[in-house]
Amino acid sequence: MKRTKIIPLALVLILGCATIASAQKKESRSAATLRAADAQWQRAFSANDLKRSVDFCAADGSVMAPNAPIATGKPAITQLFSTFFSWPDFKISWNATDVEVARSGELGYTTGLYELSFKDPSGKVINDNGKYVTVWKKQADGSWKVLRDIFNSNLPMPPAP
Amino acid sequence: MKRTKIIPLALVLILGCATIASAQKKESRSAATLRAADAQWQRAFSANDLKRSVDFCAADGSVMAPNAPIATGKPAITQLFSTFFSWPDFKISWNATDVEVARSGELGYTTGLYELSFKDPSGKVINDNGKYVTVWKKQADGSWKVLRDIFNSNLPMPPAP
């Protein structure tokens, strides 16, 4: 009688641990997929590929650039990204330092550092660097799309004129 | 025989729908709790309450203010918030427009608009408004803490001097 109670308890513990291990494995696999999506978005941007850059955003996604209103939805995001890509010699790169996906697997974020440069109208190279947070949502087809993207500069505010 | 098969199937469907409805209810309850946390953090800030404002941040949380390096961990965040609270007549308010919590209930974000003002050294009132994204993590005690907070201005960049 004693043994029959111990065995089910042991089974519950083993199954419980297996479930936790499986959830952790699933989470890190999801995080790796999300990190890859962040890097692919970066490559689309580095290639100045407007269509691919916009396609990474969800239909109801928002990009929140500094010193500009929120761009929500693909037409507004297309207009915003077009402005970036129109800057002479525009270059951007970023790298996710942290990636986290919820246990349920459909919501996650990436965060890290960016560097960008472009030429101003006088031909002078403007350099900027800063940080970003991107909130991602997994879509019905399994792909990750940008729900919210926001960034700002690490450089000190230029002095008032 | 036919009826005994139909009844279990109906039960599965009813229980399935009940589970989905329960998950949706849980999600919106979680979102309401997170919205409340965002509003409470806002009130701590409005009250210039440094300790309470910092206490809303997770031990490994980061605040990403514009034109400043990332502040990670409570000592760095305390230093950053102290700077804000030291500005003469510093006032800030914000309002979450969107709140979402993952189905698993431990990760979520709030996003919305802020307004702030303070007096510069000459006594002139400086007004700013913009947007923010805050990523929150539910703690072991059930409270929501800030994992990442980032914001930037909607106002045009000041002209170069």
Side-chain angles (χ1 to χ4, degrees):
Chain A
M1 188 65 185
K2 212 176 172 184
R3 189 187 276 173
T4 55
K5 270 190 186 161
I6 291 170
I7 292 174
L9 182 64
L11 262 177
V12 165
L13 286 173
I14 291 165
L15 288 174
C17 291
T19 307
I20 292 167
S22 156
Q24 283 174 344
K25 205 172 167 188
K26 188 190 156 200
E27 188 176 1
S28 63
R29 223 181 12 235
S30 291
T33 315
L34 183 50
R35 189 180 287 275
D38 189 274
Q40 282 159 15
W41 196 31
Q42 201 291 123
R43 282 195 291 275
F45 248 93
S46 292
N48 281 23
D49 187 331
L50 179 62
K51 194 190 171 303
R52 273 194 66 217
S53 299
V54 174
D55 279 348
F56 272 89
C57 301
D60 57 347
S62 293
V63 177
M64 302 174 170
N67 311 112
I70 302 173
T72 300
K74 294 200 175 185
I77 294 172
T78 300
Q79 198 173 356
L80 178 69
F81 290 177
S82 298
T83 306
F84 296 154
F85 292 141
S86 74
W87 293 340
D89 284 347
F90 174 68
K91 287 184 190 72
I92 189 167
S93 65
W94 68 81
N95 193 45
T97 51
D98 294 289
V99 177
E100 188 169 349
V101 175
R103 281 196 305 271
S104 45
E106 90 288 16
L107 191 73
Y109 73 92
T110 54
T111 182
L113 301 169
Y114 74 81
E115 283 191 354
L116 70 80
S117 65
F118 61 95
K119 279 188 180 157
D120 75 5
S122 75
K124 188 183 153 202
V125 176
I126 306 292
N127 288 295
D128 182 32
N129 67 79
K131 56 271 185 204
Y132 72 92
V133 171
T134 309
V135 178
W136 300 77
K137 188 87 175 255
K138 196 179 258 181
Q139 306 298 298
D141 67 357
S143 67
W144 284 102
K145 296 280 182 186
V146 174
L147 211 52
R148 300 283 182 266
D149 180 63
I150 184 166
F151 53 100
N152 66 39
S153 179
N154 280 350
L155 303 183
M157 184 81 139
Chain B
M1 190 62 183
K2 210 177 175 184
R3 190 187 274 174
T4 56
K5 271 192 186 160
I6 290 170
I7 291 173
L9 181 65
L11 262 177
V12 165
L13 285 173
I14 290 166
L15 288 175
C17 291
T19 308
I20 292 166
S22 157
Q24 283 174 343
K25 206 172 166 188
K26 189 190 154 200
E27 188 176 1
S28 63
R29 224 182 8 238
S30 291
T33 315
L34 182 50
R35 189 181 287 276
D38 189 275
Q40 282 159 15
W41 196 31
Q42 202 287 129
R43 282 195 291 274
F45 247 93
S46 292
N48 281 23
D49 187 330
L50 179 62
K51 194 191 170 301
R52 274 194 65 219
S53 298
V54 174
D55 277 349
F56 272 90
C57 301
D60 56 347
S62 293
V63 177
M64 301 173 171
N67 311 112
I70 301 175
T72 299
K74 294 200 176 187
I77 293 172
T78 300
Q79 199 174 355
L80 178 69
F81 290 177
S82 298
T83 307
F84 296 154
F85 291 142
S86 74
W87 293 340
D89 285 347
F90 173 68
K91 286 182 190 73
I92 189 167
S93 65
W94 68 79
N95 192 46
T97 50
D98 294 287
V99 177
E100 187 169 351
V101 175
R103 282 196 303 271
S104 44
E106 89 289 16
L107 191 72
Y109 74 92
T110 55
T111 181
L113 300 169
Y114 75 81
E115 283 191 355
L116 71 80
S117 65
F118 61 95
K119 279 187 180 155
D120 75 5
S122 75
K124 188 183 152 200
V125 177
I126 307 291
N127 289 295
D128 181 33
N129 68 79
K131 58 270 185 204
Y132 71 93
V133 171
T134 309
V135 178
W136 300 76
K137 187 87 175 256
K138 196 179 260 182
Q139 306 299 298
D141 67 358
S143 67
W144 284 102
K145 297 279 183 188
V146 174
L147 210 54
R148 300 283 182 265
D149 181 63
I150 183 166
F151 53 99
N152 66 39
S153 180
N154 280 350
L155 304 183
M157 186 79 141

